[in-house]
Amino acid sequence: MDNEKIVELLNKMRVEELTAIMQYSQHHYLAKGINSPVVSEIFKKLSIVEMKHAYAIAERITALGGTPTMKIDKVDVPEKLEDMIRVNCEVEKGAIEAFKGFIKDVSEDPTTRRMLEDILADEEEHLDELGKLLEN
Ligand SMILES: [Fe+2]
Ligand SMILES: [Fe+2]
């Protein structure tokens, strides 16, 4: 895979990260209900981690000679706290699948691969943390 193709894929993942930042922060502000103080803080914490991912990806893009995108996808803001957690689980699942596929494709670029593996580990943690909230 050439650098141009890697940049294109990194920008695709950056769109997901930027969307996750916005979605988590919006959920942080709009969470209501009995468990909302705790969950709302988790949303805030996760939005900050997604921002670190967006930065890491952008830095790799510029190192490869590309331009980081500012595009974001549609943000989903359900009214109920439980539905917020569910849509975030879906975002994390989608990211995990996408990163796994991407990691296979960039095996010949160890720097990009290592970065993606670190981000993947975080996304798996996020899914686990959100999943536990739904068990209670
Ligand atoms: Fe992320
Ligand atoms: Fe995440």
Side-chain angles (χ1 to χ4, degrees):
M1 194 185 286
D2 60 12
N3 282 4
E4 207 178 315
K5 185 74 188 150
I6 294 173
V7 164
E8 191 188 315
L9 286 170
L10 286 171
N11 263 329
K12 234 179 104 194
M13 298 317 298
R14 190 168 139 92
V15 171
E16 297 210 17
E17 298 293 354
L18 295 177
T19 307
I21 295 166
M22 294 314 295
Q23 182 160 308
Y24 277 126
S25 53
Q26 205 59 8
H27 290 186
H28 165 68
Y29 293 120
L30 298 178
K32 290 189 204 84
I34 191 116
N35 295 318
S36 66
V38 173
V39 178
S40 169
E41 281 312 303
I42 292 174
F43 290 156
K44 181 178 177 180
K45 179 187 78 180
L46 296 184
S47 81
I48 293 168
V49 179
E50 307 302 1
M51 181 162 283
K52 288 182 183 158
H53 296 165
Y55 267 104
I57 291 171
E59 275 153 20
R60 190 66 195 139
I61 288 169
T62 52
L64 292 170
T67 306
T69 184
M70 297 195 294
K71 219 182 97 197
I72 73 163
D73 269 341
K74 202 181 150 283
V75 171
D76 196 354
V77 187
E79 209 161 309
K80 282 165 77 184
L81 188 62
E82 208 180 305
D83 293 333
M84 286 178 170
I85 299 169
R86 277 185 220 287
V87 296
N88 291 326
C89 280
E90 291 313 308
V91 167
E92 296 292 350
K93 276 183 201 160
I96 288 166
E97 285 320 301
F99 278 119
K100 279 183 179 168
F102 194 3
I103 286 165
K104 277 197 208 122
D105 294 340
V106 293
S107 51
E108 70 276 28
D109 176 353
T111 308
T112 300
R113 197 193 62 225
R114 265 196 302 275
M115 178 198 71
L116 295 172
E117 282 168 347
D118 288 345
I119 297 177
L120 173 64
D122 285 347
E123 311 302 15
E124 285 174 338
E125 244 175 62
H126 296 173
L127 181 60
D128 190 54
E129 187 166 15
L130 294 169
K132 280 186 183 133
L133 292 173
L134 291 172
E135 283 167 14
N136 299 326

